[in-house]
Amino acid sequence: MKALTAAEMREVDRLTTDRHGIPSLQLMENAGTKVADAIWRFVAARDNVRVCVLCGKGNNGGDGFVAARHLKGANVRSRVLLFGRPGDVQGDALTNFSRWRDPGNPIEEVVTEADWERVWPEVATATVIVDALMGTGLRGAVTGVVARAITDINRLSRNVTSPRPALILSVDTPSGLPSDGDAVAGPVLSAHHTVTFTVPKVGQLISPSATACGVLEVVRIGSPPELVEEVGKGVVRWVGPDEFVTLPLSRAVDAHKGRFGHVLLVAGSAGKAGAAALSGLGALRTGAGLVTIATPVTAQNPLAAAHAEYMTEGLEATADGTISNDNLKNGSLARITAGKTVLAVGPGLGTHPETQAFITRMTAESALPVILDADGLNAFSGQAALLNRRKTEFLAITPHPGEMSRLIGRDSSVVQDNRIGIALESAKNWNAHVILKGFHTIIASPDGRVFVNTSGNAGLAKGGSGDVLTGILAAVTAQFGTNDWIRVLALGVYLHGLAADLLAAEGEDDVSGMLASEVARSVPRAREWLLREIRFGA
């Protein structure tokens, strides 16, 4: 699904009303209801819940009034603060202001910083703070009492000790975050969770301040998806279930392993067989028909014992137990790659000079689609031009920001400040698909297309997660091919993150103990969830 600018989103809303007869007031009702639903999911099992809804004067505040009304209807104690005077509220927002106030529900006005200081103690101790202050129509920096409120709330949001709100939720977008990805001029509210409507906004995906969104939840409120495709003019697409409706994710009853590809992983070394095992597990759990791991003989026995499903290919080793460059003599490459569908190189290989030479030669000489990760990328540090010297038409690289900085010879802060630009430039320069990992992983293609993935959580900040992703990417490539490779690769990134999200949803408040192997084992659940969404929800 395309990400939209603020102006494009307004046009989608207008066309939803003009062409499809859904009044703007109904869109606001739907939006506020979705916000209330998200809060209810969080508070349903908690006692003594207090929700503070901070409403601005515009439509974002109108969404907040709707949410407060529905929460009160569910017997959730809700306090509404209006940042402005009642006479400043207009249009649909005024209608919902009245629907909240007219039955006798109180509204407290916050006009000055003295007003804010008066209400702040109760806001600070609320169970949930709802940010409905400034929406996607923001122009310029936030100032005045709203800026003061954002600054104070951010101290709570970033606090790791109690007391603090259990949830800070932004309505449509965190207040102060420019919707179009522009530079941030003032304070931006740091939310734990953002419920945005219809589609993500460009700034929520690519801005250096996009982390302010926390978990980004995209909900539909009535606008037909075809309007998004018609109105959106940018190249940025959000990775969601609708992107995969054309892929044959379901398997026929007469399926056999030969239909789902043969993955060749070149991975592992003495002491790092685990990286190869995790990558292989990711490939198996994602549905590859066959998985062979080519590894130095020093790591072959541990790998063969890790999973009975693995086939292994023992390679000559250096004195350090890494892959020797001698393995590419006398036609060995043809023997190793015969009958394989895709080649993935990197996890746990090490940085021995012979091994690095082996990696660059194998990448250059293989005719299979190649996926490079970890030490597979390190072999090209400082000599990224070699990525262009290859037989295969299809190359995907999967750097984290540090690896990308070494490839392009620029500081990692430069990469982080312009993730989309760096990914697109590199994809074009190397005629390769670039998967720039991190918060909101970027998938860029040589033809200028770009996807942004928002699935996943901090539990993936763990050794082995990238190895699992490599196996997943190889498996989806083996199954679905390279005709629309950017979408296939986006599927792999999405499943990896979704598998972690499903693990987190099992009830663990702290995801720090999540294991990469657990994520790999959760991939079938993620694929099942995706199929249900495509059939019934996408």
Side-chain angles (χ1 to χ4, degrees):
M1 182 180 295
K2 287 182 178 179
L4 299 182
T5 65
E8 289 169 342
M9 190 65 246
R10 287 193 295 272
E11 180 65 3
V12 167
D13 288 342
R14 184 187 70 79
L15 292 175
T16 298
T17 298
D18 290 353
R19 290 187 190 173
H20 299 275
I22 302 175
S24 58
L25 187 62
Q26 184 61 53
L27 293 176
M28 183 174 287
E29 181 72 18
N30 295 347
T33 301
K34 293 288 189 179
V35 170
D37 288 346
I39 297 168
W40 177 250
R41 291 197 307 269
F42 183 82
V43 305
R46 297 173 184 257
D47 297 323
N48 301 316
V49 170
R50 290 189 302 107
V51 177
C52 234
V53 185
L54 281 53
C55 295
K57 297 173 289 187
N59 285 340
N60 198 243
D63 299 333
F65 297 135
V66 175
R69 173 162 45 86
H70 284 283
L71 288 170
K72 187 173 187 298
N75 296 316
V76 177
R77 284 188 294 164
S78 302
R79 183 182 188 186
V80 174
L81 306 179
L82 172 63
F83 281 66
R85 305 288 187 191
D88 298 330
V89 184
Q90 304 292 326
D92 294 340
L94 177 60
T95 299
N96 281 303
F97 169 86
S98 300
R99 287 176 177 175
W100 168 261
R101 183 191 59 180
D102 290 352
N105 297 315
I107 284 185
E108 299 177 68
E109 298 175 27
V110 178
V111 179
T112 66
E113 291 198 18
D115 294 333
W116 173 248
E117 290 169 0
R118 173 178 50 81
V119 301
W120 171 241
E122 189 168 348
V123 174
T125 56
T127 314
V128 178
I129 297 176
V130 180
D131 161 33
L133 291 167
M134 310 287 291
T136 59
L138 173 71
R139 293 178 177 84
V142 178
T143 59
V145 66
V146 175
R148 168 71 184 276
I150 290 173
T151 300
D152 288 343
I153 292 168
N154 283 350
R155 286 202 301 270
L156 296 180
S157 177
R158 295 162 182 159
N159 186 13
V160 295
T161 61
S162 295
R164 69 184 181 99
L167 176 68
I168 298 173
L169 182 144
S170 286
V171 175
D172 204 14
T173 199
S175 291
L177 180 68
S179 294
D180 299 351
D182 302 328
V184 176
V188 177
L189 191 138
S190 293
H192 302 139
H193 193 105
T194 298
V195 177
T196 197
F197 309 129
T198 307
V199 295
K201 314 314 178 280
V202 173
Q204 294 170 342
L205 299 182
I206 70 171
S207 167
S209 298
T211 54
C213 295
V215 175
L216 182 65
E217 179 181 356
V218 182
V219 298
R220 292 184 177 176
I221 61 172
S223 296
E226 56 267 24
L227 285 184
V228 174
E229 296 299 321
E230 174 188 336
V231 171
K233 305 304 180 187
V235 299
V236 178
R237 300 188 71 87
W238 173 65
V239 180
D242 62 297
E243 292 294 342
F244 310 121
V245 294
T246 60
L247 296 179
L249 294 170
S250 297
R251 293 194 168 181
V253 294
D254 62 346
H256 58 82
K257 64 180 182 289
R259 294 185 182 178
F260 307 117
H262 190 162
V263 169
L264 174 61
L265 296 171
V266 179
S269 58
K272 295 183 179 179
L278 286 169
S279 192
L281 183 61
L284 288 171
R285 289 289 183 176
T286 308
L290 294 166
V291 175
T292 293
I293 303 179
T295 194
V297 290
T298 50
Q300 188 174 13
N301 286 343
L303 270 173
H307 283 283
E309 294 86 354
Y310 294 154
M311 293 179 285
T312 61
E313 181 80 39
L315 302 179
E316 291 184 47
T318 65
D320 291 346
T322 65
I323 294 176
S324 167
N325 195 31
D326 290 342
N327 287 286
L328 291 183
K329 293 179 179 179
N330 304 319
S332 295
L333 177 62
R335 176 180 59 81
I336 295 170
T337 59
K340 310 304 190 297
T341 313
V342 58
L343 169 64
V345 182
L349 287 177
T351 56
H352 189 286
E354 274 200 49
T355 307
Q356 301 278 277
F358 169 86
I359 292 167
T360 55
R361 283 188 58 198
M362 190 173 201
T363 302
E365 295 175 15
S366 175
L368 296 174
V370 175
I371 297 167
L372 284 179
D373 180 41
D375 290 328
L377 293 170
N378 288 331
F380 292 89
S381 293
Q383 50 181 0
L386 293 179
L387 292 169
N388 286 308
R389 301 176 189 175
R390 63 182 198 263
K391 285 184 180 178
T392 183
E393 180 183 352
F394 301 103
L395 172 66
I397 65 171
T398 65
H400 57 58
E403 290 165 339
M404 179 60 90
S405 72
R406 291 193 291 273
L407 285 171
I408 65 175
R410 301 169 76 180
D411 191 81
S412 60
S413 63
V414 175
V415 175
Q416 289 294 75
D417 287 344
N418 186 21
R419 286 170 58 80
I420 286 229
I422 294 291
L424 283 170
E425 178 185 10
S426 300
K428 182 179 179 181
N429 288 345
W430 303 326
N431 191 30
H433 287 73
V434 174
I435 299 167
L436 182 55
K437 295 185 290 195
F439 181 78
H440 292 184
T441 291
I442 308 293
I443 307 102
S445 67
D447 62 9
R449 290 182 293 164
V450 62
F451 285 78
V452 181
N453 179 69
T454 59
S455 68
N457 55 65
L460 293 173
K462 182 70 62 70
S465 292
D467 303 322
V468 170
L469 176 60
T470 299
I472 291 173
L473 295 171
V476 293
T477 300
Q479 292 168 81
F480 306 119
T482 55
N483 285 341
D484 190 8
W485 205 19
I486 186 172
R487 185 165 274 102
V488 171
L489 294 170
L491 171 65
V493 175
Y494 178 77
L495 287 174
H496 184 237
L498 180 59
D501 288 339
L502 292 176
L503 284 174
E506 291 179 352
E508 296 289 339
D509 288 335
D510 183 2
V511 297
S512 62
M514 188 181 295
L515 300 181
S517 57
E518 294 171 334
V519 174
R521 293 187 182 99
S522 183
V523 171
R525 291 172 52 208
R527 187 162 170 162
E528 179 185 15
W529 185 96
L530 175 59
L531 275 168
R532 287 199 306 268
E533 277 296 294
I534 288 173
R535 288 168 178 161
F536 305 115

